[in-house]
Amino acid sequence: MNYDQAVEVLQMIRELYPGKFEVSKTKAAVMIPQLEKMEFEPVKKKLSEYAGQYPFPPTLADIAVYPPIKNPYLEKMKKWDQEAEEVSDETKQLLQEKLDELIRKVSK
């Protein structure tokens, strides 16, 4: 979410909870950077759902929706799976035979 969208979320809260939520400079200085880390549309949706259930303004934790964290290990595993698919059946068979032979030697 960008700065303008974060301000829009604060304005939405203020309008949904008149007289119960005022935005001071200090509150904006704390909340806007935190809101900028979140996703705009999902936060708006969550705020809408929250407003339908609760008579008091939400905290940031109540409406927070963060983008998913990228996992580099999943990408590596996908790449390895793709590379494994490219290995011929003959090579796989040869590797399996060598592994079986090694296991027999070690288990004696």
Side-chain angles (χ1 to χ4, degrees):
M1 162 178 340
N2 63 37
Y3 179 87
D4 292 334
Q5 291 170 329
V7 170
E8 184 177 335
V9 169
L10 294 178
Q11 288 173 340
M12 287 173 60
I13 297 170
R14 190 182 69 208
E15 290 175 17
L16 289 168
Y17 297 94
K20 295 180 183 176
F21 185 83
E22 295 304 320
V23 182
S24 66
K25 287 183 181 181
T26 303
K27 190 181 277 189
V30 170
M31 294 183 85
I32 289 174
Q34 295 305 311
L35 285 166
E36 288 177 323
K37 296 175 187 177
M38 301 177 197
E39 293 186 340
F40 180 61
E41 290 300 327
V43 166
K44 280 181 29 177
K45 182 179 181 213
K46 202 165 180 183
L47 174 58
S48 175
E49 291 169 1
Y50 181 93
Q53 295 179 341
Y54 302 102
F56 298 102
T59 65
L60 283 176
D62 292 326
I63 60 170
V65 181
Y66 294 96
I69 298 171
K70 291 190 178 189
N71 186 340
Y73 298 107
L74 289 177
E75 294 301 320
K76 284 183 182 181
M77 289 177 64
K78 287 178 186 177
K79 183 179 175 186
W80 293 339
D81 287 340
Q82 289 173 347
E83 290 172 357
E85 289 177 13
E86 295 172 8
V87 175
S88 70
D89 289 337
E90 294 170 354
T91 303
K92 289 178 184 178
Q93 180 65 30
L94 180 61
L95 287 171
Q96 186 63 48
E97 289 171 4
K98 295 223 181 241
L99 178 61
D100 292 342
E101 181 182 330
L102 179 62
I103 290 171
R104 281 193 301 272
K105 285 181 182 179
V106 172
S107 63
K108 287 185 182 181

